[in-house]
């Protein structure tokens, strides 16, 4: 054991600032050491496992306790919704009203199952979860308890709850702040986390000009329209919805959401007939937790874009010398129309689409629908450069495969 004097106590306290995030074992040992200065103190991760008085399998046992407490939610016979989730919390409070044994493990189990019950973005559910903490018992009484994270296991659990709120974009309110103040006090680490969230989250909530709502539409067509509107930089962009069963030759019956602007239609009319256009994809676009595959109809760089790049490079070469400024003759420069937002370095984007199956047949149907508004597209060769599989991977049974080989 290591005995520490009061001088060591003052020296170490200067380095254990509130911003220092200590592991749970070190926080627990530090809080014990304040009450019993003759006990062991851990100050590094190297000595953490060597001097820890707890069992070596304490982390495994804590996980087992979380799994055990999760049986409250797993045994729920009703539908998984907000009402059932709150009923499980209230049932736990009625059963453990006095001692609240295992309440930290129960709250971790509740955090893991909030998404299954659809309550991970509900502020009232988080308030109900914080009601499990006992009131007034864990409020620090002096500066030492504040700095050493009084009741570190409970405070870390509360910080993890606030972290999950932050990840899901749930902004706390004043009522939640009064809850934390009654549980841990206004000087605790958990309350500091709340104050930072109250300062920064309202500022960044609508900072993104292309805001994506948290509650995405369940209809895949509406979700595809939202994704195409977000990707299209042209304000005159038009989003159309087609059904492939309108075409007699289509074999893959699904929906097709297409995006094209009037200027892109004009680019197709100006495209040479002898040069092909390409259908490329699929590329992934994310809307919150939803992933969609989109495809692009593009062509090679236009002559106007190449000429504009050459003119831009020549104008950038300026020689700042006295002779060039005084005696060099002015050279006439040709006027070049600047390219549009659709004309990029790797090609010109002519249209975009999202289909229900992302198959080659659905993309061929999309090209047929584009020919209605772009008649010249029927004369231009179209090359499909697809990298998305048309079907999902199939699991092959090894036993059946061996029997087929034996035959």
């Amino acid at each position: 054991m290591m005995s520490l004097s009061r001088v060591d106590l003052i020296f170490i306290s200067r380095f254990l600032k509130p911003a220092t995030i200590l592991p749970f074992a070190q926080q627990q040992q530090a809080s014990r050491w304040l009450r019993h200065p003759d006990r062991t103190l851990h100050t590094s991760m190297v000595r953490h496992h060597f001097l820890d008085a707890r069992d070596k399998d304490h982390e495994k046992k804590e996980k087992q306790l979380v799994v055990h407490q999760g049986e409250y939610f797993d045994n729920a016979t009703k539908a998984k919704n907000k009402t059932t989730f709150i009923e499980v919390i209230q049932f736990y409070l009625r059963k453990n009203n006095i001692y609240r044994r295992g309440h930290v493990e129960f709250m971790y189990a509740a955090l893991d199952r909030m998404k299954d019950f659809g309550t991970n973005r509900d502020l009232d559910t988080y308030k109900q979860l914080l009601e499990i903490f006992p009131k007034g018992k864990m409020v620090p009484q002096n500066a030492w308890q504040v700095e050493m994270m009084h009741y570190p296991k409970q405070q870390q659990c509360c910080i993890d709850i606030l972290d999950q709120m932050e990840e899901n974009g749930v902004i706390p309110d004043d009522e939640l702040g009064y809850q934390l103040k009654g549980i841990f006090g206004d000087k605790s680490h958990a309350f500091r986390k709340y104050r930072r969230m109250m300062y920064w989250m309202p500022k960044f909530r609508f900072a993104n000009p292309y805001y994506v709502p948290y509650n995405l539409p369940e209809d895949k067509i509406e979700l595809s329209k939202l994704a195409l509107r977000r990707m299209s930089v042209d304000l005159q962009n038009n989003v159309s919805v087609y059904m492939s069963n309108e075409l007699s030759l289509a074999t893959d019956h699904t929906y097709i959401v297409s995006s094209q602007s009037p200027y892109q239609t004009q680019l197709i009319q100006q495209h040479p007939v002898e040069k092909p256009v390409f259908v490329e994809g699929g590329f992934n676009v994310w809307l919150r937790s939803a992933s969609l595959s989109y495809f692009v109809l593009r062509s090679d760089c236009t002559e106007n874009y190449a000429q504009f790049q050459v003119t831009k490079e020549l104008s950038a070469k300026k020689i700042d010398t006295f002779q060039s400024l005084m005696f060099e003759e002015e050279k006439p420069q040709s006027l070049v129309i600047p390219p549009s937002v659709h004309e990029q370095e790797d090609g010109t984007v002519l249209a975009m689409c999202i289909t229900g199956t992302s198959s080659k047949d659905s993309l061929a149907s999309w090209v047929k629908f584009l020919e209605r508004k772009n008649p010249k597209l029927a004369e231009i060769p179209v090359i499909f450069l697809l990298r998305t599989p048309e079907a999902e991977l199939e699991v092959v049974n090894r036993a059946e495969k061996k029997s087929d080989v034996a035959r």
Side-chain angles (χ1 to χ4, degrees):
M1 293 294 179
M2 177 179 58
S3 60
L4 299 174
S5 62
R6 293 184 178 272
V7 178
D8 297 330
L9 171 66
I10 299 174
F11 176 75
I12 295 174
S13 65
R14 292 181 179 178
F15 291 94
L16 296 178
K17 297 298 182 181
T20 305
I21 306 300
L22 297 176
F24 170 70
Q26 296 182 17
Q27 296 169 359
Q28 191 178 33
Q29 291 291 336
S31 61
R32 291 176 183 173
W33 175 71
L34 287 177
R35 296 189 295 269
H36 307 281
D38 56 338
R39 292 189 178 181
T40 303
L41 176 67
H42 300 166
T43 56
S44 65
M45 291 295 294
V46 178
R47 303 193 306 183
H48 162 62
H49 298 289
F50 180 71
L51 297 175
D52 196 353
R54 296 180 298 177
D55 188 6
K56 294 181 180 180
D57 299 333
H58 68 276
E59 294 182 357
K60 183 178 180 181
K61 292 181 179 180
E62 289 179 359
K63 291 181 181 179
Q64 292 176 352
L65 290 174
V66 173
V67 174
H68 175 69
Q69 296 294 343
E71 294 178 357
Y72 284 94
F73 300 93
D74 299 336
N75 297 332
T77 57
K78 297 182 181 180
K80 292 186 176 181
N81 50 29
K82 177 182 176 181
T83 305
T84 307
F85 193 87
I86 295 178
E87 288 179 357
V88 173
I89 295 176
Q90 293 175 353
F91 174 75
Y92 173 82
L93 290 175
R94 290 194 301 268
K95 187 176 180 180
N96 303 273
N97 189 25
I98 299 177
Y99 296 106
R100 306 282 175 91
R101 291 190 179 95
H103 69 280
V104 174
E105 289 78 12
F106 175 81
M107 298 176 78
Y108 276 118
L111 285 178
D112 295 338
R113 290 161 175 81
M114 289 187 75
K115 190 174 183 180
D116 299 335
F117 285 80
T119 58
N120 55 328
R121 295 194 183 99
D122 185 71
L123 180 60
D124 295 332
T125 307
Y126 288 103
K127 293 179 182 178
Q128 290 290 332
L129 196 59
L130 291 175
E131 287 292 330
I132 300 177
F133 285 120
K135 305 295 188 300
K137 181 180 179 180
M138 297 180 289
V139 177
Q141 302 299 323
N142 51 57
W144 290 107
Q145 293 181 349
V146 171
E147 296 299 326
M148 293 301 179
M149 201 173 184
H150 196 47
Y151 284 89
K153 187 175 182 179
Q154 285 75 11
Q155 284 205 54
Q156 187 59 49
C157 179
C158 181
I159 292 174
D160 292 338
I161 293 175
L162 296 176
D163 284 340
Q164 183 162 320
M165 291 177 58
E166 187 175 1
E167 291 174 0
N168 291 278
V170 180
I171 300 179
D173 56 0
D174 295 338
E175 183 180 354
L176 191 141
Y178 289 127
Q179 276 185 288
L180 296 178
K181 189 175 181 180
I183 298 171
F184 298 107
D186 57 351
K187 299 294 189 299
S188 61
H189 292 259
F191 195 79
R192 294 176 191 176
K193 170 70 176 178
Y194 160 77
R195 293 171 64 182
R196 295 187 186 100
M197 292 174 63
M198 287 293 290
Y199 180 81
W200 288 109
M201 291 188 69
K203 293 179 180 296
F204 291 119
R205 185 177 184 180
F206 299 108
N208 187 1
Y210 305 101
Y211 180 73
V212 178
Y214 281 96
N215 298 323
L216 297 175
E218 297 181 358
D219 188 8
K220 293 185 178 181
I221 296 179
E222 295 297 328
L223 190 64
S224 301
K225 292 166 66 176
L226 180 63
L228 289 176
R229 289 195 184 100
R230 180 177 173 81
M231 289 187 293
S232 302
V233 294
D234 196 340
L235 299 178
Q236 298 181 350
N237 180 69
N238 297 323
V239 178
S240 305
V241 179
Y242 306 105
M243 303 302 295
S244 60
N245 54 10
E246 299 177 6
L247 300 175
S248 58
L249 299 177
T251 58
D252 191 2
H253 295 172
T254 183
Y255 65 88
I256 301 171
V257 183
S258 177
S259 171
Q260 192 179 39
S261 66
Y263 191 81
Q264 288 175 315
T265 304
Q266 183 179 354
L267 290 174
I268 293 178
Q269 296 298 325
Q270 298 174 357
H271 187 79
V273 180
E274 63 275 4
K275 291 185 178 181
V277 293
F278 308 93
V279 176
E280 294 183 348
F283 307 103
N284 291 331
V285 58
W286 288 87
L287 297 176
R288 300 296 180 185
S289 59
S291 176
L292 300 174
S293 296
Y294 70 96
F295 298 86
V296 176
L297 177 67
R298 73 161 188 88
S299 63
D300 294 331
C301 295
T302 59
E303 296 181 359
N304 180 58
Y305 180 85
Q307 188 177 0
F308 178 80
Q309 290 298 115
V310 172
T311 307
K312 186 178 180 180
E313 292 176 0
L314 292 176
S315 60
K317 294 179 180 179
K318 296 181 179 179
I319 304 175
D320 298 331
T321 60
F322 178 78
Q323 183 178 1
S324 62
L325 292 174
M326 298 298 297
F327 303 103
E328 186 178 3
E329 297 181 359
E330 183 179 358
K331 298 179 180 180
Q333 297 180 356
S334 59
L335 298 178
V336 180
I337 301 176
S340 62
V341 293
H342 307 289
E343 301 173 66
Q344 301 295 329
E345 183 178 0
D346 56 346
T348 302
V349 179
L350 302 176
M352 291 188 299
C353 83
I354 296 177
T355 67
T357 58
S358 300
S359 62
K360 184 177 179 180
D361 186 76
S362 62
L363 296 174
S365 302
W366 173 51
V367 175
K368 291 295 182 183
F369 284 116
L370 288 178
E371 292 177 0
R372 297 179 179 181
K373 296 182 179 180
N374 308 273
K376 192 177 179 180
L377 188 60
E379 305 173 7
I380 302 174
V382 180
I383 300 177
F384 291 85
L385 302 176
L386 306 181
R387 63 178 185 180
T388 301
E390 297 183 1
E392 296 181 356
L393 297 177
E394 297 181 1
V395 179
V396 179
N397 191 351
R398 293 185 177 180
E400 295 179 356
K401 188 175 181 180
K402 289 181 180 178
S403 62
D404 293 340
V405 172
R407 291 177 186 175

